[in-house]
Amino acid sequence: QSVLTQPPSVSAAPGQKVTISCSGSSSNIGNDFVSWYQQLPGTAPKLLIYDNDQRPSGIPDRFSGSKSGTSATLGITGLQTGDEATYYCATWDSTIDSGLWVFGGGTKLTVL
Amino acid sequence: QVHLQESGPGLVRPSETLSLTCSVSGGSLRTGSFYWTWVRQAPGKAPEWIGYTYYGGSTHNNPFLKNRLTISVDMSKNEFYLRLSPVTAADTAVYYCARGVEPAKLTAAHWGQGTLVTVSS
């Protein structure tokens, strides 16, 4: 059970927009940057967004990130079948001991 | 472009020691304040952060693994290591090493391909 809560699944049609939420607390999202990862089956996760809203080089601007308070959101516009994957948020959590980096439980995106 | 490659045994007996190596090319562990991280992912589960080594060889481990985990680095070989002992079936996972996107950013932008470790007798 992760301290970061994501919906288990979302779906949308090709060309549409989808948002994926990541809900936390003042001990994690409310106090640090959020990053987002895309994982295709059988492959390593891929960094899509870091520092809440920054895209690494090579990530198209169809992907966007935002944060407000203790929640973060990943947005994907112009959905493509290749976007079908599981998406994870991550941030630092300072609830226990010296802290740890935590991932959300993941959201499986289906492009109908 | 930095490249990371994990290596180690695919099968470890319960109560024994898991040792993995992450070999880095195209970038140096000596330069920049990058986070060099270990992450694992059990089948069908979300990724789990194991720990990282940071500039100068300092490390920070997941508190839930702290008593069993050692992360170390050999800058002369451009490698960093994970040692987990003793292991149980719950440690069965794909183990990844990764590097941050920018200096001083705890992210995982460059990943190894991952290595599956099964804990079983």
mmCIF file with all atom_site columns, all heavy atoms in Angstrom, chain B residues 1-12:
data_model
loop_
_atom_site.group_PDB
_atom_site.id
_atom_site.type_symbol
_atom_site.label_atom_id
_atom_site.label_alt_id
_atom_site.label_comp_id
_atom_site.label_asym_id
_atom_site.label_entity_id
_atom_site.label_seq_id
_atom_site.pdbx_PDB_ins_code
_atom_site.Cartn_x
_atom_site.Cartn_y
_atom_site.Cartn_z
_atom_site.occupancy
_atom_site.B_iso_or_equiv
_atom_site.pdbx_formal_charge
_atom_site.auth_seq_id
_atom_site.auth_comp_id
_atom_site.auth_asym_id
_atom_site.auth_atom_id
_atom_site.pdbx_PDB_model_num
ATOM 1  N N   . GLN B 1 1  ? 25.992 9.535   -24.164 1.00 0.00 ? 1  GLN B N   1
ATOM 2  C CA  . GLN B 1 1  ? 24.808 9.065   -23.451 1.00 0.00 ? 1  GLN B CA  1
ATOM 3  C C   . GLN B 1 1  ? 25.239 8.029   -22.411 1.00 0.00 ? 1  GLN B C   1
ATOM 4  O O   . GLN B 1 1  ? 25.890 7.042   -22.744 1.00 0.00 ? 1  GLN B O   1
ATOM 5  C CB  . GLN B 1 1  ? 23.820 8.437   -24.453 1.00 0.00 ? 1  GLN B CB  1
ATOM 6  C CG  . GLN B 1 1  ? 22.580 7.834   -23.836 1.00 0.00 ? 1  GLN B CG  1
ATOM 7  C CD  . GLN B 1 1  ? 21.533 8.883   -23.514 1.00 0.00 ? 1  GLN B CD  1
ATOM 8  O OE1 . GLN B 1 1  ? 21.840 10.089  -23.431 1.00 0.00 ? 1  GLN B OE1 1
ATOM 9  N NE2 . GLN B 1 1  ? 20.301 8.458   -23.318 1.00 0.00 ? 1  GLN B NE2 1
ATOM 10 N N   . VAL B 1 2  ? 24.844 8.246   -21.181 1.00 0.00 ? 2  VAL B N   1
ATOM 11 C CA  . VAL B 1 2  ? 25.226 7.314   -20.123 1.00 0.00 ? 2  VAL B CA  1
ATOM 12 C C   . VAL B 1 2  ? 24.473 6.003   -20.316 1.00 0.00 ? 2  VAL B C   1
ATOM 13 O O   . VAL B 1 2  ? 23.307 5.982   -20.743 1.00 0.00 ? 2  VAL B O   1
ATOM 14 C CB  . VAL B 1 2  ? 24.940 7.926   -18.741 1.00 0.00 ? 2  VAL B CB  1
ATOM 15 C CG1 . VAL B 1 2  ? 23.466 8.107   -18.509 1.00 0.00 ? 2  VAL B CG1 1
ATOM 16 C CG2 . VAL B 1 2  ? 25.557 7.070   -17.651 1.00 0.00 ? 2  VAL B CG2 1
ATOM 17 N N   . HIS B 1 3  ? 25.145 4.903   -20.020 1.00 0.00 ? 3  HIS B N   1
ATOM 18 C CA  . HIS B 1 3  ? 24.572 3.569   -20.146 1.00 0.00 ? 3  HIS B CA  1
ATOM 19 C C   . HIS B 1 3  ? 24.841 2.805   -18.860 1.00 0.00 ? 3  HIS B C   1
ATOM 20 O O   . HIS B 1 3  ? 25.963 2.850   -18.345 1.00 0.00 ? 3  HIS B O   1
ATOM 21 C CB  . HIS B 1 3  ? 25.181 2.841   -21.337 1.00 0.00 ? 3  HIS B CB  1
ATOM 22 C CG  . HIS B 1 3  ? 24.661 1.454   -21.532 1.00 0.00 ? 3  HIS B CG  1
ATOM 23 N ND1 . HIS B 1 3  ? 23.419 1.183   -22.063 1.00 0.00 ? 3  HIS B ND1 1
ATOM 24 C CD2 . HIS B 1 3  ? 25.209 0.244   -21.243 1.00 0.00 ? 3  HIS B CD2 1
ATOM 25 C CE1 . HIS B 1 3  ? 23.228 -0.127  -22.112 1.00 0.00 ? 3  HIS B CE1 1
ATOM 26 N NE2 . HIS B 1 3  ? 24.299 -0.718  -21.617 1.00 0.00 ? 3  HIS B NE2 1
ATOM 27 N N   . LEU B 1 4  ? 23.815 2.130   -18.353 1.00 0.00 ? 4  LEU B N   1
ATOM 28 C CA  . LEU B 1 4  ? 23.935 1.355   -17.123 1.00 0.00 ? 4  LEU B CA  1
ATOM 29 C C   . LEU B 1 4  ? 23.567 -0.097  -17.393 1.00 0.00 ? 4  LEU B C   1
ATOM 30 O O   . LEU B 1 4  ? 22.646 -0.373  -18.162 1.00 0.00 ? 4  LEU B O   1
ATOM 31 C CB  . LEU B 1 4  ? 23.022 1.915   -16.028 1.00 0.00 ? 4  LEU B CB  1
ATOM 32 C CG  . LEU B 1 4  ? 23.315 3.343   -15.567 1.00 0.00 ? 4  LEU B CG  1
ATOM 33 C CD1 . LEU B 1 4  ? 22.474 4.354   -16.346 1.00 0.00 ? 4  LEU B CD1 1
ATOM 34 C CD2 . LEU B 1 4  ? 23.055 3.496   -14.081 1.00 0.00 ? 4  LEU B CD2 1
ATOM 35 N N   . GLN B 1 5  ? 24.293 -0.991  -16.750 1.00 0.00 ? 5  GLN B N   1
ATOM 36 C CA  . GLN B 1 5  ? 24.066 -2.416  -16.958 1.00 0.00 ? 5  GLN B CA  1
ATOM 37 C C   . GLN B 1 5  ? 24.178 -3.152  -15.640 1.00 0.00 ? 5  GLN B C   1
ATOM 38 O O   . GLN B 1 5  ? 25.224 -3.126  -14.990 1.00 0.00 ? 5  GLN B O   1
ATOM 39 C CB  . GLN B 1 5  ? 25.095 -2.973  -17.941 1.00 0.00 ? 5  GLN B CB  1
ATOM 40 C CG  . GLN B 1 5  ? 24.983 -4.472  -18.186 1.00 0.00 ? 5  GLN B CG  1
ATOM 41 C CD  . GLN B 1 5  ? 23.757 -4.817  -19.010 1.00 0.00 ? 5  GLN B CD  1
ATOM 42 O OE1 . GLN B 1 5  ? 23.567 -4.321  -20.109 1.00 0.00 ? 5  GLN B OE1 1
ATOM 43 N NE2 . GLN B 1 5  ? 22.915 -5.692  -18.463 1.00 0.00 ? 5  GLN B NE2 1
ATOM 44 N N   . GLU B 1 6  ? 23.093 -3.830  -15.264 1.00 0.00 ? 6  GLU B N   1
ATOM 45 C CA  . GLU B 1 6  ? 23.099 -4.626  -14.049 1.00 0.00 ? 6  GLU B CA  1
ATOM 46 C C   . GLU B 1 6  ? 23.652 -6.026  -14.328 1.00 0.00 ? 6  GLU B C   1
ATOM 47 O O   . GLU B 1 6  ? 23.452 -6.574  -15.418 1.00 0.00 ? 6  GLU B O   1
ATOM 48 C CB  . GLU B 1 6  ? 21.677 -4.782  -13.477 1.00 0.00 ? 6  GLU B CB  1
ATOM 49 C CG  . GLU B 1 6  ? 20.920 -3.500  -13.247 1.00 0.00 ? 6  GLU B CG  1
ATOM 50 C CD  . GLU B 1 6  ? 20.145 -3.045  -14.474 1.00 0.00 ? 6  GLU B CD  1
ATOM 51 O OE1 . GLU B 1 6  ? 20.299 -3.662  -15.557 1.00 0.00 ? 6  GLU B OE1 1
ATOM 52 O OE2 . GLU B 1 6  ? 19.375 -2.071  -14.362 1.00 0.00 ? 6  GLU B OE2 1
ATOM 53 N N   . SER B 1 7  ? 24.299 -6.595  -13.337 1.00 0.00 ? 7  SER B N   1
ATOM 54 C CA  . SER B 1 7  ? 24.762 -7.974  -13.462 1.00 0.00 ? 7  SER B CA  1
ATOM 55 C C   . SER B 1 7  ? 24.753 -8.636  -12.092 1.00 0.00 ? 7  SER B C   1
ATOM 56 O O   . SER B 1 7  ? 24.924 -7.977  -11.064 1.00 0.00 ? 7  SER B O   1
ATOM 57 C CB  . SER B 1 7  ? 26.165 -8.045  -14.074 1.00 0.00 ? 7  SER B CB  1
ATOM 58 O OG  . SER B 1 7  ? 27.096 -7.356  -13.276 1.00 0.00 ? 7  SER B OG  1
ATOM 59 N N   . GLY B 1 8  ? 24.562 -9.945  -12.110 1.00 0.00 ? 8  GLY B N   1
ATOM 60 C CA  . GLY B 1 8  ? 24.525 -10.698 -10.874 1.00 0.00 ? 8  GLY B CA  1
ATOM 61 C C   . GLY B 1 8  ? 23.769 -11.992 -11.070 1.00 0.00 ? 8  GLY B C   1
ATOM 62 O O   . GLY B 1 8  ? 23.245 -12.251 -12.158 1.00 0.00 ? 8  GLY B O   1
ATOM 63 N N   . PRO B 1 9  ? 23.701 -12.807 -10.037 1.00 0.00 ? 9  PRO B N   1
ATOM 64 C CA  . PRO B 1 9  ? 23.027 -14.103 -10.154 1.00 0.00 ? 9  PRO B CA  1
ATOM 65 C C   . PRO B 1 9  ? 21.524 -13.949 -10.312 1.00 0.00 ? 9  PRO B C   1
ATOM 66 O O   . PRO B 1 9  ? 20.917 -13.060 -9.717  1.00 0.00 ? 9  PRO B O   1
ATOM 67 C CB  . PRO B 1 9  ? 23.378 -14.804 -8.842  1.00 0.00 ? 9  PRO B CB  1
ATOM 68 C CG  . PRO B 1 9  ? 23.627 -13.697 -7.890  1.00 0.00 ? 9  PRO B CG  1
ATOM 69 C CD  . PRO B 1 9  ? 24.239 -12.589 -8.692  1.00 0.00 ? 9  PRO B CD  1
ATOM 70 N N   . GLY B 1 10 ? 20.924 -14.822 -11.099 1.00 0.00 ? 10 GLY B N   1
ATOM 71 C CA  . GLY B 1 10 ? 19.488 -14.790 -11.287 1.00 0.00 ? 10 GLY B CA  1
ATOM 72 C C   . GLY B 1 10 ? 18.729 -15.564 -10.229 1.00 0.00 ? 10 GLY B C   1
ATOM 73 O O   . GLY B 1 10 ? 17.529 -15.373 -10.075 1.00 0.00 ? 10 GLY B O   1
ATOM 74 N N   . LEU B 1 11 ? 19.445 -16.399 -9.492  1.00 0.00 ? 11 LEU B N   1
ATOM 75 C CA  . LEU B 1 11 ? 18.810 -17.226 -8.468  1.00 0.00 ? 11 LEU B CA  1
ATOM 76 C C   . LEU B 1 11 ? 19.622 -17.153 -7.187  1.00 0.00 ? 11 LEU B C   1
ATOM 77 O O   . LEU B 1 11 ? 20.841 -17.340 -7.209  1.00 0.00 ? 11 LEU B O   1
ATOM 78 C CB  . LEU B 1 11 ? 18.716 -18.672 -8.945  1.00 0.00 ? 11 LEU B CB  1
ATOM 79 C CG  . LEU B 1 11 ? 18.105 -19.678 -7.964  1.00 0.00 ? 11 LEU B CG  1
ATOM 80 C CD1 . LEU B 1 11 ? 16.626 -19.350 -7.709  1.00 0.00 ? 11 LEU B CD1 1
ATOM 81 C CD2 . LEU B 1 11 ? 18.242 -21.105 -8.502  1.00 0.00 ? 11 LEU B CD2 1
ATOM 82 N N   . VAL B 1 12 ? 18.927 -16.872 -6.096  1.00 0.00 ? 12 VAL B N   1
ATOM 83 C CA  . VAL B 1 12 ? 19.570 -16.803 -4.790  1.00 0.00 ? 12 VAL B CA  1
ATOM 84 C C   . VAL B 1 12 ? 18.743 -17.636 -3.815  1.00 0.00 ? 12 VAL B C   1
ATOM 85 O O   . VAL B 1 12 ? 17.498 -17.580 -3.844  1.00 0.00 ? 12 VAL B O   1
ATOM 86 C CB  . VAL B 1 12 ? 19.676 -15.348 -4.287  1.00 0.00 ? 12 VAL B CB  1
ATOM 87 C CG1 . VAL B 1 12 ? 20.391 -15.290 -2.940  1.00 0.00 ? 12 VAL B CG1 1
ATOM 88 C CG2 . VAL B 1 12 ? 20.405 -14.475 -5.307  1.00 0.00 ? 12 VAL B CG2 1
#
